Amino acid sequence: MEPEAIMKYAIIIPDGAADDAVPELGGRTPLQAAHTPNMDEIARMGQLGTVRTVPEGFESGSDVATMSLLGYDPAVYHTGRAPLEAAAQRIPLTPSDWVFRCNFVTTKDGLMKDHSAGGISDAEGRRLLSILAKSLDTPGFEFHPGVSYRNLLVYKGKQGFDLKTKPPHEMLDEPLERWLPTGEGSEILRDLMTKSAEVLAASDAGAASQIWLWGQGHPPAMPTFAERFGVSGGAMISGVDLLRGLANLLGWGVVEVPGMTSFHDTDYAGQGAATCAALEKYNLVVSHVESPDEASHQADVKTKIAAIEAIDRHVVGPVLAALRQKKDWRILILPDNPTNVATRKHGYAPTLYAMAGTGLTSNGATAYDEVQAARGLSFAQGDLLMPAFL
C-alpha cells in the first residue's frame, strides 16, 4: 500500500506589507502598486479576506500579531516581547526573572529619530553592548546581544516592576520625555538609558545614541503547536529573534539561512530555496520576511514596493510551485500587521490574508490587496484564522 499523504502547510509572512493608500502612489497601497503575480494567483484560487491580529488593548507589533496569527490568543499567552526573544537565544530564565528589549537607537534634540541606530550591524551592536556592560553599574542585570539593533537586558533580582514602556518604532520623531518608562522600577530603567547615552557619546558609537528599554515581561508558558492543533513537524525561517523564540516555544525547528537579514539587503532567493527545502523535511513551515516592515518604518515606499515584489518573486513563487508537486497542501500569505509608510508606525487595522490549496475554493478575488480583501471573510479574532487554515 502507498503511505498516506501528509498535508504540507506553508505560511509566508511579508511583515508589515499591508498599508493605507499612499498619495504618491496615486491613492494606491504599496501592495496594489507592486507587481505580485504569485500572491494574486493565490488570492484568485483560494480565500481572500481580513483578520484582526492585534486585539483591543494591545500595542500593535509583531509579538502580539504573530502570536495571534499562529493561533495563540495574546490575552492568554502574551507576557511581553522581550521574553519571546530570550526564548530564541535559549537564555536560562526562572519564572520570576524579567526580560527587557534593549534597542540601540538614534536620538537628536530630544527626539527619537531612528529605532534601529541606522540598521547597526551585528558586530557593531555586540561591540557597543560589551562596552555598556563593562561601563554601567548594573547589579542584577545581564546584557545579551541579539541581531542588529535588537538586544536584551535580563534582570535577576528582587526589584519589582510594574511598568509602562513604549516601543521606539512607535514614537519616531516624537519627544523622548513623553515616552520614558513610568511605574514601579521605572527610575532604574531611566537611569540606565541616560547613562548609556553618556557612555556611547564617548565610544565612537556612530548612529547609536543610547539604549531604549521596553517590551518587558516574564517567560511565558505556552502549549506546543502539536499539543494545541495536532500538527507536528513545524519549522520557522526568519531573520528576527522574536519569531525564532516563538518557534522554540512552539516546539518547532529553526532553519538558518545564510545572507538572511531584517532589511532589503536580505537574500530573498536563498530564503525561498530554504523554505522549499524545509517543506521536504517539515510538515508546516513559516517563512517570515521583515524587509517591508523596516522600509515602512523608514517611510521608504519605493523600497517597500521592491521588497514586496522580491518576496513574491523569490519566496512565494517557488514555494507555491513546490507545493503544487504535493498531493495535499495549503498555503497562507499574510502580513502580521499593517505598517504605515505615512506614519512610520504599526497600524491597528485588520491585515489581509489569502489561503489556497487542497479543499479550498475561490471566493472571487482577482488580486492580493487590501481593497479586495475587505470584501472577503473577516476574522474578528486573529487566533481563529489558524484553525480555519489547518
Side-chain angles (χ1 to χ4, degrees):
M1 293 178 60
E2 290 291 325
E4 184 179 353
I6 297 175
M7 179 80 80
K8 293 287 185 176
Y9 299 98
I11 302 172
I12 299 174
I13 305 175
D15 197 304
D19 208 328
D20 293 333
V22 179
E24 64 187 276
L25 298 178
R28 296 175 296 170
T29 69
L31 274 171
Q32 288 179 309
H35 179 60
T36 55
N38 297 298
M39 296 184 197
D40 292 346
E41 182 172 5
I42 292 168
R44 283 194 296 271
M45 65 193 292
Q47 305 290 311
L48 179 68
T50 62
V51 55
R52 184 172 293 281
T53 56
V54 181
E56 186 175 352
F58 283 86
E59 193 94 41
S60 181
S62 292
D63 52 339
V64 170
T66 306
M67 183 178 286
S68 183
L69 69 86
L70 290 178
Y72 292 77
D73 184 354
V76 177
Y77 299 107
H78 187 269
T79 63
R81 179 166 180 145
L84 299 177
E85 300 188 9
Q89 298 188 38
R90 299 191 184 278
I91 298 172
L93 298 172
T94 68
S96 62
D97 291 340
W98 284 91
V99 191
F100 302 84
R101 262 292 291 272
C102 178
N103 277 48
F104 282 117
V105 299
T106 303
T107 62
K108 185 178 181 180
D109 299 328
L111 301 178
M112 180 67 68
K113 301 305 294 183
D114 189 340
H115 71 289
S116 68
I120 190 171
S121 70
D122 293 0
E124 180 65 358
R126 287 175 179 270
R127 182 183 77 85
L128 296 179
L129 206 66
S130 178
I131 291 172
L132 290 177
K134 294 174 182 177
S135 303
L136 299 179
D137 182 21
T138 57
F141 285 95
E142 303 171 354
F143 287 101
H144 293 266
V147 177
S148 182
Y149 61 91
R150 307 175 183 90
N151 306 288
L152 296 175
L153 185 63
V154 173
Y155 177 71
K156 295 175 175 287
K158 297 181 179 180
Q159 170 67 47
F161 293 99
D162 186 7
L163 296 163
K164 184 175 182 180
T165 60
K166 188 73 171 179
H169 54 262
E170 292 297 303
M171 49 179 285
L172 295 169
D173 290 322
E174 295 185 15
L176 305 182
E177 187 66 32
R178 178 182 176 188
W179 297 114
L180 287 170
T182 58
E184 182 184 356
S186 61
E187 67 282 355
I188 298 174
L189 302 192
R190 288 172 177 245
D191 184 58
L192 287 172
M193 290 157 67
T194 299
K195 289 180 177 177
S196 75
E198 298 168 0
V199 172
L200 293 176
S203 303
D204 187 26
S209 305
Q210 66 171 81
I211 59 171
W212 189 264
L213 302 172
W214 63 285
Q216 67 282 346
H218 295 298
M222 300 171 62
T224 67
F225 196 84
E227 289 169 342
R228 181 157 172 76
F229 294 110
V231 176
S232 60
M236 175 69 72
I237 301 176
S238 175
V240 177
D241 266 354
L242 163 65
L243 277 295
R244 292 195 286 261
L246 269 173
N248 287 338
L249 292 169
L250 269 54
W252 287 353
V254 175
V255 178
E256 301 292 344
V257 180
M260 184 172 58
T261 74
S262 300
F263 302 95
H264 190 46
D265 63 353
T266 192
D267 184 355
Y268 293 102
Q271 183 162 351
T275 306
C276 292
L279 283 166
E280 297 301 316
K281 179 179 179 181
Y282 298 96
N283 297 327
L284 186 153
V285 179
V286 176
S287 193
H288 166 266
V289 192
E290 177 76 359
S291 51
D293 184 71
E294 292 289 357
S296 301
H297 287 312
Q298 300 299 331
D300 186 348
V301 68
K302 182 178 179 180
T303 298
K304 180 168 187 174
I305 292 172
I308 291 170
E309 292 181 339
I311 294 167
D312 184 83
R313 181 182 310 115
H314 296 298
V315 182
V316 179
V319 170
L320 179 59
L323 285 173
R324 283 177 153 169
Q325 302 303 311
K326 311 294 182 184
K327 180 179 179 181
D328 294 308
W329 60 273
R330 285 189 178 183
I331 188 169
L332 173 65
I333 313 291
L334 76 164
D336 54 351
N337 51 248
T339 309
N340 303 120
V341 168
T343 63
R344 301 174 62 190
K345 300 178 182 179
H346 292 153
Y348 289 83
T351 189
L352 71 163
Y353 72 87
M355 55 182 173
T358 304
L360 296 173
T361 57
S362 173
N363 65 353
T366 59
Y368 183 74
D369 65 51
E370 297 87 348
V371 174
Q372 292 206 34
R375 304 171 188 149
L377 178 64
S378 175
F379 287 86
Q381 190 171 323
D383 58 290
L384 299 180
L385 176 64
M386 185 55 61
F389 172 60
L390 298 176

